[in-house]
Amino acid sequence: GGERPEPLSGKDEGSFAYLTIRDRLPVILTKVIDLVHRQASALSESNQQEKIEDSKGVIAKLSKLRYEMKTNKPLTQMEDDRPDVQIWNDTIEKGKSLVDQNKITSFTGAWLIVECYMYRKIYEAFALSKQHKCFDPFQDQKEESFKGLQNSAISLAQFLKHSIHNSGGDGEEKRNVKNVFDTLLQFCLWGNRCDLSISSGEITHEEGAGQTAHLQRMKENIIVDNSQDVWNTIQSSENPRIDFVLDNSGFELFTDLCFAEFLLHANLAKEIHLHTKQIPWFVSDASNKDVMWMAQQMKGSSNKCLSELGELWIQRFQDRTFILQSHSFWTQAQDFSEMKNVAPDLYEELSNAKIVFFKGDLNYRKLVGDRKWNHTIPFTLALWGFLPAPLCSLRTLKADVQVGLSPGQDDKLQAINKEWMTSGSYAVIQYAHHLD
Ligand code: F6P
Ligand code: MG
């Protein structure tokens, strides 16, 4: 029963949504425009007139989009031929302004719709061209994010290798499994930090001082920690399958796969399903291509530990202990409470998992409908009926929405750090399951 609070929106001047739409989104668009521009200029030496004209068409579309979003014009229909066009156009048609019930515009609609719309429109600008059809304007950034953290990746790979060797049997070793589980879960969690500040020096392959001390310090910033529930669920069920709804490519993806690798090794799962995006999304989100790129990159590394792990993961994609899955629902604007109606096949698919991990901030926003919830309302209530299987959100806070806190916890956080909801320095491990 009851109603949900209204969605976050750019209509609330000064809010994080408002500032994102006013300042951050135009910068992202400008960067994409500059990239296409640079690539076209590089061509002008040789005589590739056709490709240059094609680029100009893309730039014109993206510039128009930037202008329309900046000046609060109504969102416009999608015109390419992806199968999701109809559902997107329904969303745009039905998404009324939160201010005056007129057509939805960038500053009057739900932030979630507006922000997803921008990425879908960037895709459209390329899809409607002749020569840039499947172009991913964020590819370089994604690749840099992994390359730039090579050393951290090597340290984590060494930790993983070491842990796997030392967590086989019972007694002492069994206790060790739980410790390694907690450690890798936390790496997987903090991998979602935007600044990715878990640096090489802090991770060591020893169970010793450096690494534990650092994660221990970070632990204070985990404001909801349901990791014991997660462990209980994973341990108690015979179900062989665990799902990850992935977020960012690069280092975060690497931490996800390290955690997944451990789950397989410790016999806590027999297959890992990884859900990826079908189109370039929120700059760094992982596509199938990004995942395979990373594994290949690792395999070619001069570091033995990393290259062995890369080889193992490529093997896992072949023998299907790692399974890539992609659904167009992940790049629509609907929150997850609508999945049952909009994408029942996906809901059904997720219900086969022992547990589903939802990585990152955007997935959290979609889990709780991106709404102005009171911070103390229960997570399960905010899910609004979405519970295909037991689930766990691993998220660093980068948007001003949060549920499931204890009374007064928000005030305390506010006193310590005014930007606790958006700085990425706080995190949650939040769990929900069916009550039976
Ligand atoms: O600008 C902030 C933002 O785009 C949020 O809107 C979004 O939730 C987040 O960044 C993306 O973060 P993540 O990759 O963790 O989903
Ligand atoms: Mg992301």
Side-chain angles (χ1 to χ4, degrees), residues 16 20 24 111 115 192 247-248 282 360-362 365 398:
F16 190 71
T20 299
R24 290 184 195 89
W111 174 30
E115 199 170 19
N192 182 243
D247 183 9
N248 301 313
F282 281 69
D361 194 70
L362 177 63
R365 290 171 57 194
K398 302 176 209 160

Side-chain angles (χ1 to χ4, degrees), residues 370-405:
D370 210 36
R371 283 158 194 274
K372 298 178 183 170
W373 292 109
N374 192 310
H375 299 148
T376 55
I377 79 119
F379 184 44
T380 314
L381 177 67
L383 293 174
W384 215 246
F386 177 74
L387 203 51
L391 63 84
C392 173
S393 161
L394 297 174
R395 171 231 188 185
T396 64
L397 281 65
K398 302 176 209 160
D400 47 2
V401 53
Q402 182 60 51
V403 302
L405 299 187

Side-chain angles (χ1 to χ4, degrees), residues 160 162-169 173-174 176-178 180 262 265-266:
L160 178 67
H162 178 83
S163 313
I164 280 170
H165 275 286
N166 292 297
S167 53
E173 293 195 323
K174 204 153 190 190
N176 204 13
V177 173
K178 174 67 162 54
V180 176
F262 165 76
H265 251 277

Side-chain angles (χ1 to χ4, degrees), residues 1 25 42 67 71 76 81 102 179 195 216 252 259 319 321 325 350 362 367 433:
L25 300 189
Y67 168 79
T71 54
T76 62
D81 53 12
N102 282 326
N179 286 338
D195 59 350
Q216 209 58 41
E252 178 173 1
F259 183 41
D319 67 25
T321 42
Q325 282 189 286
L350 294 177
L362 177 63
L367 281 167
H433 69 129

